[in-house]
Amino acid sequence: MTRGAAHKGGGEKAVAQICTECVVRDQSLCGSLTDSELTTLNSIGRSRRLGRGETLVWAGDDAVVCANLLSGVLKLSASTADGREQIVGLLYPADFVGRPFAEEAEHSITALTEVELCVFPRKGFEAALENHVHLERLLLRRTLAALDEARARMLMLGRKTAEEKVASFLLDMADHLARNAPPCRTEFELPLTRSQIADVLGLTIETVSRQLTKLKRDGLIDLPSGRQVAIRNRVALKLRAEAA
Amino acid sequence: MTRGAAHKGGGEKAVAQICTECVVRDQSLCGSLTDSELTTLNSIGRSRRLGRGETLVWAGDDAVVCANLLSGVLKLSASTADGREQIVGLLYPADFVGRPFAEEAEHSITALTEVELCVFPRKGFEAALENHVHLERLLLRRTLAALDEARARMLMLGRKTAEEKVASFLLDMADHLARNAPPCRTEFELPLTRSQIADVLGLTIETVSRQLTKLKRDGLIDLPSGRQVAIRNRVALKLRAEAA
DNA sequence: CGGTGGCTTGACTGGTCTCAATAGATGTGG
DNA sequence: CCACATCTATTGAGACCAGTCAAGCCACCG
């Protein structure tokens, strides 16, 4: 590595030619870039790690960075003035992180697990967008998809019952985690605490807990230990998730 | 008008050079296009009207069109399998309508008032996006903004009480309608029925009605007649809307 | 007129929240 | 190893907010 060597305390290091060994390169924004485009990003990107619970951006702060998520799970959250929190999005490996063209961050971005990121200064990333049509095009596709997802979540928040919310949450989570795990895993470890699940679903921690034990009592899932979940009857679980 | 003349029953007509007299040209996507870009859109755009209650696109249908909204208000809605509905977005004049790059529509698009649109075939619009970087750039900005708004609405749906929901809805509505009306109007006509307001807020029609009469009883608003609303005490109303 | 659709209001139900106690899990230090 | 603190999760009892069901009002219209 020619310009390698970590030079900031916070676990940053030059990405350099590292893209070639990037785990999520094919699925991430970078996936279909030309060499010249990749070089641009390459030169401004830095790898960074966050521990569970660490926050990359606080809502209201200057939005300084964008990033690609390499591994781990991030939450995007908003809060009311009196402290009620709502998780407005979950980000998984290969997802794009951040909000180009906004001076101020609307949401906090926090690590739910150990996380690896490929971070770009926002201004630099915006410049790359301007200069590389292809990159902009890909980001537009992703943003449109994220918008669809956000709206699907609005239907869930506004119209689903607690049981439906918890059931669909489990199915969602299984899908996302299965993507990077051995195929067809129906057993996985939740990256969220009960309280965070509650913040995703617009419920309280107690209601989440009760719905989970109910699903377990009914034999649809198993809860071997705190964070472990095993889906026993996917079809029935889908039925309880209702909705489209 | 050289190629003017309506030629489809459904209220469509050639847009032709009409852009020059477009009411929302400055605020819409078209606002900062070059002449050449405008000409491209111009040649594929057609003006179209919808009556209150008419639906432009049904969820699940092929997504055939995109459009700019010239006047009126549209709702974007999603439904559960058993018919519960959630309005996931409201569109106002100058807003962009539709979902490029998706074969199938995720949401229904329905007119809440009389509506005028400048409609483009989706494929043609996508081609214009590919050929005109500038247009793509503007759409990206708008989509990012729409995503922020969707997420703000998630906080509302998941964490606000009925009173907070109704209060913030009224403030939102006042802002949007004031934009195109005489300055500082605190009195306006709701483009939505109670039942539609309920669908926006994730409530029932009865709860919306009760919250409205409560706000009236407390002197924060007035309800001269069904759809008319007058904000009497904006500050107090903002307090009830809580949240950030 | 009676019918229809939108809106309000009341009485009641019930799902979710609140408050509180208990049980596990994890880690620290003696 | 155990005692202890801390954090997370479960469970129960009761309260309350919002939903459900039902009746009635009003404006509009054939």
Side-chain angles (χ1 to χ4, degrees):
Chain A
M1 210 199 300
T2 52
R3 7 198 256 281
H7 68 304
K8 275 203 181 176
E12 300 195 5
K13 62 178 178 180
V15 168
Q17 275 77 16
I18 280 188
C19 292
T20 52
E21 55 191 58
C22 175
V23 236
V24 298
R25 179 169 165 201
D26 290 348
Q27 304 109 278
S28 81
L29 256 197
C30 306
S32 23
L33 296 185
T34 64
D35 285 352
S36 106
E37 292 167 331
L38 202 52
T39 305
T40 309
L41 280 186
N42 211 332
S43 67
I44 63 169
R46 314 216 144 260
S47 138
R48 175 152 180 204
R49 296 180 149 281
L50 294 177
R52 173 175 290 189
E54 271 189 85
T55 294
L56 178 67
V57 177
W58 291 99
D61 279 9
D62 290 348
V64 193
V65 296
C66 296
N68 277 317
L69 181 51
L70 305 184
S71 70
V73 183
L74 291 172
K75 72 169 182 179
L76 256 176
S77 61
S79 303
T80 64
D82 62 341
R84 285 167 281 173
E85 184 180 354
Q86 176 67 45
I87 294 182
V88 297
L90 292 174
L91 300 176
Y92 300 90
D95 280 352
F96 177 77
V97 182
R99 167 62 159 94
F101 311 115
E103 295 305 319
E104 191 175 300
E106 288 254 315
H107 310 107
S108 300
I109 307 177
T110 306
L112 294 180
T113 64
E114 281 272 313
V115 154
E116 271 180 305
L117 294 161
C118 182
V119 178
F120 315 103
R122 180 172 63 83
K123 292 292 186 190
F125 184 78
E126 287 173 9
L129 280 178
E130 308 269 321
N131 297 323
H132 300 282
V133 190
H134 197 214
L135 182 61
E136 193 168 48
R137 188 155 297 165
L138 292 171
L139 182 59
L140 175 58
R141 300 282 191 296
R142 280 183 181 248
T143 308
L144 286 164
L147 185 54
D148 282 346
E149 200 221 302
R151 285 172 169 163
R153 205 171 283 201
M154 287 175 56
L155 174 60
M156 186 214 68
L157 287 171
R159 292 303 185 202
K160 287 199 186 177
T161 65
E163 181 175 45
E164 290 167 338
K165 285 177 177 180
V166 171
S168 37
F169 170 80
L170 290 176
L171 290 168
D172 265 24
M173 195 50 68
D175 287 349
H176 277 286
L177 299 182
R179 191 153 305 166
N180 316 306
C184 301
R185 276 263 290 261
T186 57
E187 199 157 343
F188 55 91
E189 177 167 344
L190 290 169
L192 295 81
T193 65
R194 296 287 186 272
S195 151
Q196 287 163 343
I197 297 175
D199 287 339
V200 171
L201 302 178
L203 297 170
T204 59
I205 179 176
E206 295 93 333
T207 301
V208 171
S209 184
R210 276 188 260 266
Q211 294 301 332
L212 282 173
T213 52
K214 185 163 142 213
L215 289 176
K216 177 182 179 181
R217 209 170 39 235
D218 297 355
L220 305 200
I221 62 170
D222 230 353
L223 301 167
S225 74
R227 300 284 189 89
Q228 288 293 328
V229 179
I231 295 179
R232 291 272 167 264
N233 187 340
R234 191 179 213 90
V235 180
L237 196 56
K238 257 191 184 122
L239 276 175
R240 304 238 181 161
E242 276 290 277
Chain B
M1 210 197 298
T2 52
R3 5 196 257 280
H7 68 305
K8 274 202 183 179
E12 301 195 4
K13 61 177 178 181
V15 167
Q17 275 76 18
I18 279 187
C19 292
T20 52
E21 55 191 58
C22 174
V23 236
V24 298
R25 181 170 163 197
D26 291 348
Q27 305 108 278
S28 80
L29 256 197
C30 307
S32 22
L33 296 184
T34 64
D35 284 353
S36 105
E37 292 167 332
L38 202 52
T39 305
T40 309
L41 281 186
N42 210 334
S43 66
I44 63 169
R46 313 217 145 258
S47 139
R48 175 152 181 204
R49 296 181 149 280
L50 294 177
R52 172 174 290 187
E54 272 190 81
T55 294
L56 179 67
V57 177
W58 292 99
D61 279 9
D62 291 347
V64 193
V65 296
C66 296
N68 277 316
L69 181 51
L70 305 184
S71 71
V73 183
L74 290 172
K75 72 168 182 180
L76 255 178
S77 61
S79 303
T80 63
D82 61 341
R84 286 168 281 175
E85 182 181 354
Q86 176 67 45
I87 294 182
V88 298
L90 292 174
L91 301 176
Y92 300 91
D95 280 351
F96 177 77
V97 182
R99 167 63 158 94
F101 310 116
E103 295 305 318
E104 191 174 299
E106 289 253 316
H107 309 108
S108 300
I109 306 177
T110 306
L112 295 180
T113 64
E114 281 272 311
V115 154
E116 271 180 305
L117 294 160
C118 182
V119 178
F120 315 103
R122 179 171 64 83
K123 293 290 186 191
F125 184 77
E126 287 172 9
L129 279 179
E130 309 268 321
N131 297 322
H132 300 283
V133 190
H134 198 213
L135 182 61
E136 192 168 48
R137 187 155 299 164
L138 292 171
L139 182 58
L140 175 58
R141 301 282 192 298
R142 278 179 184 251
T143 308
L144 286 164
L147 185 53
D148 282 346
E149 199 220 302
R151 285 171 169 163
R153 205 171 284 201
M154 286 175 58
L155 174 60
M156 184 214 68
L157 287 171
R159 292 303 185 203
K160 287 198 186 178
T161 64
E163 180 174 44
E164 291 168 338
K165 285 177 177 180
V166 171
S168 38
F169 171 79
L170 289 177
L171 290 167
D172 265 24
M173 194 52 66
D175 287 349
H176 277 287
L177 298 182
R179 192 151 306 165
N180 315 306
C184 301
R185 277 265 291 260
T186 56
E187 199 157 344
F188 54 91
E189 178 168 343
L190 290 169
L192 295 80
T193 66
R194 296 289 187 270
S195 150
Q196 287 163 343
I197 297 174
D199 287 340
V200 171
L201 302 178
L203 298 171
T204 59
I205 180 176
E206 295 94 333
T207 300
V208 170
S209 183
R210 277 189 259 266
Q211 294 302 332
L212 282 173
T213 53
K214 185 164 143 212
L215 289 175
K216 177 182 179 182
R217 211 170 37 235
D218 297 355
L220 306 199
I221 63 170
D222 230 352
L223 301 167
S225 74
R227 299 284 190 90
Q228 288 293 326
V229 179
I231 295 180
R232 292 269 166 263
N233 187 341
R234 192 179 213 91
V235 180
L237 196 56
K238 257 190 183 123
L239 276 174
R240 304 240 181 156
E242 278 287 282

